[in-house]
Amino acid sequence: MIIIGEKINGAIPSTAKAIAAKDAEFIKNLAIKQAEAGADYIDVCASVDDDIELETMKWLIDIVQDATDVPIAVDSPNVYTCIESMKYCNKPGLFNSVSLEGDKVDAAFKVIADTKWECVALLNSDKGIPKTAKDRLDVFTDLMA
C-alpha cells in the first residue's frame, strides 16, 4: 500500500488560510506530521488562482523539502502546473494525476516516461466519471494503452 499525505491542499480551509497568509511554519508542521505518520509521498496542491498557482506550488514544495525527505506528489487539476512543478522537486515523486480528460495523459506521460516518477491514474475521461466497474476498467485499459 502507498500512503499519500493529502493535508497540504488549499481546498482544506485551514490550509488555504495558511497559504494565503504565507504561513510557512503551518505548512512545515503539516509536512512533518505526515512524514512522521508514515506517508510515502507528501501531496502538494495549492488550489489557488491560476495566475499564482505555479509560484505557490514552488513555495509549498520548497517548504516541504526543507522539512522532510519524503518525496513530493505534485497535484493540480492543471496538468501543465504539475509538469512545471516537477522541476522544483529535488528527487522523483508522484504525478497526481493522469486521466483521459483532454490531453492530460499525453502531456504527462511524455514528461514522466523514462524517469523514476510514478503517477496516479484517475479512471475518468471527457465523458466524466464512469458509472460502472466495466466502464472504469475500459478507461483503465485506454490509459494503459
Side-chain angles (χ1 to χ4, degrees):
M1 176 171 38
I2 296 171
I3 300 170
I4 303 170
E6 293 269 352
K7 296 297 183 183
I8 301 175
N9 187 322
I12 300 169
S14 59
T15 305
K17 183 177 176 183
I19 291 170
K22 295 287 189 201
D23 186 346
E25 196 64 26
F26 182 92
I27 302 300
K28 176 184 172 184
N29 287 334
L30 285 177
I32 291 169
K33 286 178 186 175
Q34 292 175 101
E36 289 174 349
D40 296 300
Y41 296 94
I42 305 291
D43 191 83
V44 174
C45 183
S47 297
V48 295
D49 291 337
D50 291 343
D51 60 328
I52 62 167
E53 185 179 29
L54 188 57
E55 144 194 348
T56 304
M57 288 289 287
K58 181 184 184 319
W59 178 74
L60 291 167
I61 289 167
D62 287 346
I63 293 167
V64 172
Q65 291 181 141
D66 284 344
T68 179
D69 288 332
V70 175
I72 302 290
V74 293
D75 187 358
S76 171
N78 183 329
V79 68
Y80 298 102
T81 296
C82 288
I83 290 168
E84 290 301 311
S85 294
M86 290 170 61
K87 298 172 185 175
Y88 304 129
C89 297
N90 295 336
K91 59 185 166 192
L94 184 71
F95 193 100
N96 191 4
S97 60
V98 298
S99 71
L100 290 180
E101 296 173 294
D103 69 343
K104 284 184 178 185
V105 70
D106 294 329
F109 281 0
K110 193 180 302 180
V111 174
I112 64 175
D114 301 320
T115 73
K116 293 189 178 196
W117 279 81
E118 300 287 338
C119 72
V120 172
L122 291 181
L123 301 182
N124 57 357
S125 68
D126 287 330
K127 297 176 186 174
I129 299 171
K131 304 223 183 295
T132 68
K134 182 204 173 303
D135 289 344
R136 285 188 182 163
L137 288 174
D138 288 345
V139 171
F140 176 75
T141 300
D142 291 344
L143 267 171
M144 294 312 294

